[in-house]
Structure formats: structure tokens, C-alpha cells
């Protein structure tokens, strides 16, 4: 039997269901990409940008009701409801197949069906995995070209005919009433219909690399995390790799490609959204970025916040839902330039000041990793990069200090499980509402989160030297609503302290929360930040924390007896240390 027989059989089955006019296997070539772009320009689903200043760039405007991930329409379909857990929407697999199968029936009539064999991870890495995705959207195929490795490289990686994650996607009629993103982890299968939005439709990303990936990772003893990966080079040229989990649209891309404000230090970018992490033969965690592109949030990307990204998106980039200048260039709020006259908003309407934002708050750029000026020389290392520290960061205007370090692995896992964050425009719904988001994985964990905490706990003893775990919050504000810490390139000062902690030299005080940097521990040379502002950013309040831990306890109750004992013990230990 040929290695692709399983994929061919599945594709035939899907074609019988969706009834496309034509089936096309994508080869991932430049010629194919250019042809897709030409087709879309002709069809008006893509708009050519200024080819002199933005060569190879184009703009896609999505349906106005299809601009972000729709978590309420995203389901985990496991045989047992408990395996999906209380934080996931659940549908019985047979019900999902029946209900959503009816929407797929004939959904590609008159359309082309593209079959995309894609590889998540570097070629020839034992950590990389294959997916076969079917879609009727040319925009999705072109985006998959940028975000994944498409074609022979994927087929070559298959070890057996069933060695792939299958993903069926159709735009359907784009109605939110007929939109579903279903995951069948027991079958390594994804069904997505009714949305063309990246997080719902580029199935390699959240659906495969995180939801199905996390299920496989638990089964096989590795980790699939919503994490950036960066290498921090010190003035002596030594590079320390860190992985950081932060919720959607909360600064992962900016941190991953940060230009350090601390002289002599430099950040190298490995990934900005997803990390697949394995234990190697000597008990060292090693991480790969399964993607090969960035699907970043455009608003607030500027020369000040992320100079590398502004350079990176000057060519070969697909912009989605940004505003367009009369010169055919992209524009968004927080770009650092005034809105030029003649600006057209993300829906293609003339824009005038004082109204709604010109760019959608979740407008995006899709650009190849290789165009990032800070791309790490190790970004495609098949063995991955060695991880020495994990960072858990969330967006909280109160309570959570700027940075602190866990006592040990178990305490660090607890701190990750305790994360909550203020929501952003990356998901449909209200922005700025505090919600629980353990390890920034609440929307992406493909199984019961209590078991996920257990999986994290189990990883620790397998490691020769478990990475240090840090908690950060760049988003803390003062009483006037001003950020206490300048963030962006200045965050290098915090990363440098982490590296010193990893090496055993960084200074810290022990508190009931964990280790907090002493006032003189971080190098603040060249930064005009009053000492009392830093103290405020690092402060913690007993009463606020006890209240927060009370809420956390209620969240944990949702998991009943499935919550691992050590997590419960860490919670009571922290309450005890705080005198509660
Ligand atoms: C993303 C997200 O697009 O997390 O990365 O929503
Ligand atoms: Mn993300």
C-alpha cells in the first residue's frame, strides 16, 4: 500500500460529501502561490497593495462577521464528555458528524477543493507532524503556504498511511449560525465550516498544533503549548532559550522579536505562538516552532513596539482587515503615523476621524518567519532549542506583580494553572473581561484541563534540570490607568534577570508568592523609571491575593476529583503563607 493511500481514501470520502467541481492537490510551490494570488485578485477576494513599497503584499477583507476566533462555536468531540472537561464545549462525536455533516453535504458544489499536505515543524525533525487539510478557500491555501511547509516535504515525512491529522474546512455560507469548529482528537480529525478566519480556518495552527496536538502530546509524553520561543543572547554571546505562554493578542509576537533596550543583549526569534516541546535523551526539554510564518495582530505594531515586525511585513505579506491608504499601503491604529487623507477602512469604506477604528482591532499580517530580521539561526534545528525557562504572562491591570519566580516546578505549574487574563479582540465577544486562562491554553487545550495540569506535573520528574518558571504581567496599571512598566524593548531587563536566576546569580527576595527581584536586581541603566514606580509594579497585596485565590479555588472546583492533588496542595500552601 502506498504511503498516501490513507490520505487519498479520506480525500475521496470528503469529495463525495462536499461535491466539489474539481480537486487540486497543493504542491507548495511559488508558482502555485502566485497563481492563487492572481485568481484572488481577479475574483476580488484579494486587493493588490503598492508593489513598489510593499512588493508581493496584498489585502484580504473578510466577511464583517468573520474577524476573530469563535470559541462558543468550537467543540471538542470526545466519546466521554469528561475527557473534554468543563472548560471546553463538548459534542458527542456522532452528533457532531450528523449535525455538521449536514452542512458539509454539497458545501463545495461549484467550487475548487484544495488538498493541502502540510508539515508542522522543520523538515527531518523527529518532532514534526503531518497534516492533510482540505479547503475550498484560496485565501486559506495561500495562508497555509506561508504558515506551514506544504507539499512533498510533508508527504515525505509520513511514516505510515494513517500518520496524519485530517482537517476538513469549507467556507460554507460564512453564516455564524452555520459555523462550527469540531475536533475529534480520538480520530485525529478536525471539521471546520462557516469561517475563513485564520484561527478557525488555518487548521494547522490552533486546531492541529494545539487542540489535537495537546491530546497527542499527553498520550506520547511531550508538550504542545501556546508559547513563543526566543533565544536571549548576553553580552558574552551566550544564548539562553525561553518559552513564554501568553493569551492571544497579549504581546507574544512583540516579545518574540523584541529589540532589546538593554545594551549588549539581543533577542533571537524562534517562534511567536506555538511550541512543541520534547524531552531529549539526557532529560533536557527541547522546543520547535511547528509553524513557518507569523499570523500577527497588526494594530499597535510600530517602530516603537516591534521594529522587526514592521520590517518583516514590507514584502510577501497577506494583510487581513487592515485599513488601506490612497497609495495602496496598509495602515492601522498604533502604527505610529497619523491616518493619511483618503484612508479606506477595513470594510472598504472611506474613513473619517472620530469614528470606529480604521483597521479592525484584530486585523492581521501573515508573513514568513524567514523575513523576520531577528530570526534565530537555530529556528529550524530539527533537534529543537534547549529550553531553560518558562514564562507565564497575562494581561492584568491589578493584583499580579510585574515579575516573580516560582519556588520549583510544581509551584510553577500551579502558577500557570492560576492564570487569568483580560480578554482581547482576538476572540469574538466582550473585550477587557477577566477570565481564567491557565497557561494561556483555555481556548486550545484539547482535553480535560485537570489532566493537562497533571501532564505538566508529570513532566517535571522526567527532567534532569527542570526549567525555572516565571510569572510576568507587563500590563499592570496605576490608579490613573497608566501602565507602571514601559514594556516592549525594556522587557529585556526582566528577561536578563531571568537568565541570571537560571544561572544562580540573580537577586531576589522570598515572598509568599515566590521570588521577587530585589529593588537593585534588574539592570535599569538608561531607563528613567522612578524607583517607586518599579516598587509599585513589583508590589503584592495580601488581601487582594487572598481574594484572588478564593476565586481560583472556585475555578478548581469545576474539575472535581480530577484536579491533581499537588495543585490543590499548592493552593492551600499559598493561602497558608499569606496567613489566610
Ligand atoms: C492567535 C490567537 O491568532 O491566539 O494566535 O488567537
Ligand atoms: Mn495564539
Amino acid at each position: 500500500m502506498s504511503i498516501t493511500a490513507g490520505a487519498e481514501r479520506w480525500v475521496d470520502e470528503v469529495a463525495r460529501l462536499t461535491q466539489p467541481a474539481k480537486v487540486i492537490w497543493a504542491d507548495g510551490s511559488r508558482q502555485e502561490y502566485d497563481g492563487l494570488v492572481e485568481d484572488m485578485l481577479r475574483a476580488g477576494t484579494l486587493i493588490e497593495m503598492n508593489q513598489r513599497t510593499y512588493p508581493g503584499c496584498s489585502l484580504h477583507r473578510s466577511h464583517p462577521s468573520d474577524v476573530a476566533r469563535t470559541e462558543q462555536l468550537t467543540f471538542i468531540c470526545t466519546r466521554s464528555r469528561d475527557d473534554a472537561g468543563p472548560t471546553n464545549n463538548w459534542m458527542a462525536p456522532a452528533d457532531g458528524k450528523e449535525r455538521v455533516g449536514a452542512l458539509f453535504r454539497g458545501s463545495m458544489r461549484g467550487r475548487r477543493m484544495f488538498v493541502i499536505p502540510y508539515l508542522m515543524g522543520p523538515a527531518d525533525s523527529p518532532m514534526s507532524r503531518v497534516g492533510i487539510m482540505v479547503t475550498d478557500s484560496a485565501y486559506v491555501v495561500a495562508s497555509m503556504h506561508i504558515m506551514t511547509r506544504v507539499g512533498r516535504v510533508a508527504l515525505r515525512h509520513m511514516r505510515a498511511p494513517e500518520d496524519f491529522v485530517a482537517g476538513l474546512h469549507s467556507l460554507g455560507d460564512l453564516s455564524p449560525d452555520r459555523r462550527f469548529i469540531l475536533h475529534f482528537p480520538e480520530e485525529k480529525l478536525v471539521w471546520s465550516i462557516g469561517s475563513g478566519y485564520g484561527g478557525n480556518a488555518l487548521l494547522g495552527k490552533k486546531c492541529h498544533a494545539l487542540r489535537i496536538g495537546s491530546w497527542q502530546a499527553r498520550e506520547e509524553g511531550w508538550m504542545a503549548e501556546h508559547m513563543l520561543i526566543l533565544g536571549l543572547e548576553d553580552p558574552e554571546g551566550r544564548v539562553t532559550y525561553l518559552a513564554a505562554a501568553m493569551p492571544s493578542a497579549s504581546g507574544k509576537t512583540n516579545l518574540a522579536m523584541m529589540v532589546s533596550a538593554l545594551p549588549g543583549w539581543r533577542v533571537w526569534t524562534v517562534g511567536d505562538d506555538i511550541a512543541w516541546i520534547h524531552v531529549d535523551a539526557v532529560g533536557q526539554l527541547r522546543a520547535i516552532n511547528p509553524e513557518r510564518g507569523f499570523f500577527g495582530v497588526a494594530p499597535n505594531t510600530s517602530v516603537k513596539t516591534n521594529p522587526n515586525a514592521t520590517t518583516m511585513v514590507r514584502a510577501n505579506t497577506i494583510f487581513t482587515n487592515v485599513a488601506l491608504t490612497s497609495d495602496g499601503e496598509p495602515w492601522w491604529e498604533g502604527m505610529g503615523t497619523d491616518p493619511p487623507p483618503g484612508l479606506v477602512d477595513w470594510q472598504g469604506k472611506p474613513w473619517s476621524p472620530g469614528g470606529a477604528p480604521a483597521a479592525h482591532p484584530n486585523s492581521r499580517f501573515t508573513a514568513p518567519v524567514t523575513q523576520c530580521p531577528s530570526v534565530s539561526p537555530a529556528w529550524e534545528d530539527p533537534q529543537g532549542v534547549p529550553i531553560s525557562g518558562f514564562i507565564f504572562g497575562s494581561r492584568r491591570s491589578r493584583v499580579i506583580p510585574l515579575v516573580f519566580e516560582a519556588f520549583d516546578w510544581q509551584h510553577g505549574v500551579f502558577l500557570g494553572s492560576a492564570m487569568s487574563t483580560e480578554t482581547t479582540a482576538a476572540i469574538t465577544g466582550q473585550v477587557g473581561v477577566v477570565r481564567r486562562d491557565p497557561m494561556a491554553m483555555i481556548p486550545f487545550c484539547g482535553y480535560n484541563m485537570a489532566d493537562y495540569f497533571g501532564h505538566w506535573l508529570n513532566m517535571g520528574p522526567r527532567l534532569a534540570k527542570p526549567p525555572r518558571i516565571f510569572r510576568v504581567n507587563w500590563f499592570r496599571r496605576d490608579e490613573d490607568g497608566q501602565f507602571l512598566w514601559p514594556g516592549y524593548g525594556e522587557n529585556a531587563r526582566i528577561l536578563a534577570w531571568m537568565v541570571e536566576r537560571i544561572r544562580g546569580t540573580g537577586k531576589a527576595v522570598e515572598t509568599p508568592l515566590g521570588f521577587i527581584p530585589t529593588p537593585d536586581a534588574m539592570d535599569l541603566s538608561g531607563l528613567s523609571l522612578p524607583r517607586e514606580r518599579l516598587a509599585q509594579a513589583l508590589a503584592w497585596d495580601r488581601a487582594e491575593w487572598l481574594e484572588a485565590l478564593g476565586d481560583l479555588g472556585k475555578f478548581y472546583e469545576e474539575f472535581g476529583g480530577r484536579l491533581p492533588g499537588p495543585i490543590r496542595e499548592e493552593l492551600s500552601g499559598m493561602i497558608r503563607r499569606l496567613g489566610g
Side-chain angles (χ1 to χ4, degrees):
M1 204 196 322
S2 91
I3 206 77
T4 54
E8 283 161 30
R9 213 173 25 242
W10 177 70
V11 168
D12 286 348
E13 203 181 290
V14 163
R16 275 197 298 278
L17 175 67
T18 57
Q19 308 267 305
K22 196 172 174 190
V23 178
I24 301 164
W25 282 70
D27 64 12
S29 64
R30 180 76 213 191
Q31 200 184 356
E32 178 174 81
Y33 181 86
D34 292 344
L36 288 162
V37 168
E38 260 168 51
D39 289 351
M40 286 188 280
L41 291 174
R42 222 176 300 120
T45 47
L46 217 51
I47 297 163
E48 185 163 86
M49 295 182 125
N50 187 324
Q51 293 303 295
R52 194 174 46 79
T53 53
Y54 282 83
C57 293
S58 45
L59 168 67
H60 173 71
R61 293 192 183 120
S62 76
H63 189 279
S65 71
D66 187 28
V67 290
R69 281 187 294 103
T70 41
E71 293 182 2
Q72 72 283 12
L73 304 173
T74 301
F75 291 81
I76 301 296
C77 305
T78 42
R79 285 191 295 269
S80 150
R81 183 180 202 136
D82 269 357
D83 288 342
T87 62
N88 278 312
N89 298 316
W90 175 83
M91 220 188 269
D95 291 351
K97 293 264 173 78
E98 194 180 312
R99 206 164 144 196
V100 178
L103 302 177
F104 274 115
R105 201 157 300 128
S107 71
M108 297 191 190
R109 241 176 237 134
R111 300 182 186 170
R112 292 182 294 179
M113 176 172 120
F114 300 93
V115 183
I116 314 168
Y118 64 90
L119 183 67
M120 299 307 288
D124 303 320
S125 169
M127 302 183 216
S128 297
R129 297 299 170 105
V130 179
I132 307 278
M133 176 182 176
V134 161
T135 181
D136 55 7
S137 159
Y139 166 78
V140 167
V141 188
S143 302
M144 287 292 283
H145 264 241
I146 299 176
M147 296 302 296
T148 72
R149 295 155 178 91
V150 171
R152 278 179 59 80
V153 62
L155 296 173
R156 221 172 14 102
H157 197 90
M158 285 176 72
R159 302 281 167 268
E162 306 301 331
D163 183 22
F164 65 94
V165 169
L168 166 57
H169 171 256
S170 172
L171 294 172
D173 63 4
L174 287 178
S175 161
D177 297 334
R178 283 174 291 282
R179 180 177 300 161
F180 288 97
I181 300 101
L182 305 187
H183 304 75
F184 305 89
E186 286 143 339
E187 297 172 56
K188 290 191 293 176
L189 173 67
V190 181
W191 274 13
S192 168
I193 188 158
S195 169
Y197 172 73
N200 294 333
L202 308 182
L203 301 188
K205 194 173 182 60
K206 304 302 187 182
C207 301
H208 176 168
L210 287 176
R211 298 198 190 96
I212 303 287
S214 61
W215 177 285
Q216 291 184 298
R218 190 228 355 209
E219 276 187 339
E220 299 166 13
W222 49 282
M223 304 163 88
E225 301 298 329
H226 190 207
M227 289 184 174
L228 67 86
I229 309 163
L230 64 80
L232 184 66
E233 184 176 333
D234 72 8
E236 283 78 50
R238 289 176 295 179
V239 180
T240 306
Y241 292 94
L242 305 169
M246 291 167 185
S248 309
S250 297
K252 280 202 303 301
T253 307
N254 293 342
L255 184 62
M257 47 189 85
M258 178 225 288
V259 173
S260 165
L262 190 58
W265 293 75
R266 178 168 187 166
V267 166
W268 294 102
T269 312
V270 178
D272 81 328
D273 194 41
I274 299 174
W276 281 357
I277 310 168
H278 286 65
V279 187
D280 73 8
V282 295
Q284 168 69 52
L285 282 181
R286 303 193 73 94
I288 58 163
N289 170 12
E291 304 189 276
R292 69 170 289 276
F294 300 120
F295 178 62
V297 178
N300 293 323
T301 303
S302 69
V303 173
K304 179 171 165 277
T305 63
N306 193 339
N308 283 327
T310 59
T311 306
M312 172 180 88
V313 302
R314 294 301 294 230
N316 309 316
T317 296
I318 301 179
F319 292 94
T320 302
N321 293 339
V322 298
L324 193 64
T325 72
S326 56
D327 290 339
E329 295 188 353
W331 190 90
W332 50 77
E333 279 71 18
M335 192 182 210
T337 56
D338 291 334
L343 192 66
V344 170
D345 75 8
W346 65 278
Q347 296 190 67
K349 301 191 192 106
W351 181 80
S352 43
H360 187 277
N362 191 37
S363 52
R364 299 275 177 152
F365 51 79
T366 310
V369 170
T370 46
Q371 289 186 188
C372 178
S374 57
V375 64
S376 162
W379 90 276
E380 285 194 292
D381 188 331
Q383 303 310 318
V385 295
I387 296 297
S388 303
F390 283 121
I391 303 171
F392 292 122
S394 70
R395 186 183 274 274
R396 290 297 309 270
S397 44
R398 299 171 46 241
V399 187
I400 314 293
L402 175 62
V403 59
F404 58 103
E405 184 193 340
F407 296 121
D408 53 27
W409 180 262
Q410 179 172 305
H411 180 230
V413 174
F414 161 73
L415 292 179
S417 79
M419 267 167 67
S420 55
T421 199
E422 290 152 24
T423 52
T424 66
I427 41 171
T428 303
Q430 222 183 323
V431 168
V433 184
V434 176
R435 70 160 177 178
R436 306 246 54 113
D437 195 358
M439 282 89 165
M441 279 289 277
I442 205 85
F444 307 123
C445 183
Y447 61 101
N448 190 315
M449 270 216 131
D451 300 348
Y452 170 76
F453 301 154
H455 180 49
W456 262 86
L457 291 169
N458 290 339
M459 293 301 291
R462 293 176 56 201
L463 307 177
K465 191 166 167 242
R468 299 286 185 102
I469 300 182
F470 301 91
R471 179 75 171 88
V472 302
N473 176 25
W474 319 137
F475 299 91
R476 199 170 192 188
R477 295 174 192 255
D478 64 14
E479 307 74 46
D480 300 327
Q482 301 299 314
F483 288 115
L484 283 162
W485 173 252
Y488 305 113
E490 306 296 350
N491 290 337
R493 301 174 193 276
I494 297 177
L495 300 189
W497 174 76
M498 291 175 184
V499 168
E500 286 164 7
R501 291 294 296 170
I502 290 164
R503 293 185 184 150
T505 56
K507 287 196 267 176
V509 282
E510 187 173 337
T511 75
L513 275 53
F515 296 111
I516 294 189
T518 54
D520 60 340
M522 288 191 290
D523 185 346
L524 299 186
S525 50
L527 173 65
S528 64
L529 181 76
R531 285 277 159 189
E532 54 292 357
R533 290 234 11 120
L534 180 65
Q536 249 181 303
L538 289 170
W540 55 276
D541 181 89
R542 199 172 293 275
E544 269 183 353
W545 269 85
L546 283 171
E547 191 190 334
L549 294 177
D551 289 347
L552 178 61
K554 285 193 206 111
F555 171 59
Y556 284 164
E557 274 167 29
E558 290 178 33
F559 299 101
R562 217 147 158 160
L563 188 78
I567 297 288
R568 220 181 282 281
E569 284 156 28
E570 288 292 338
L571 174 61
S572 37
M574 191 155 185
I575 293 173
R576 212 173 29 249
R577 288 196 299 278
L578 286 162

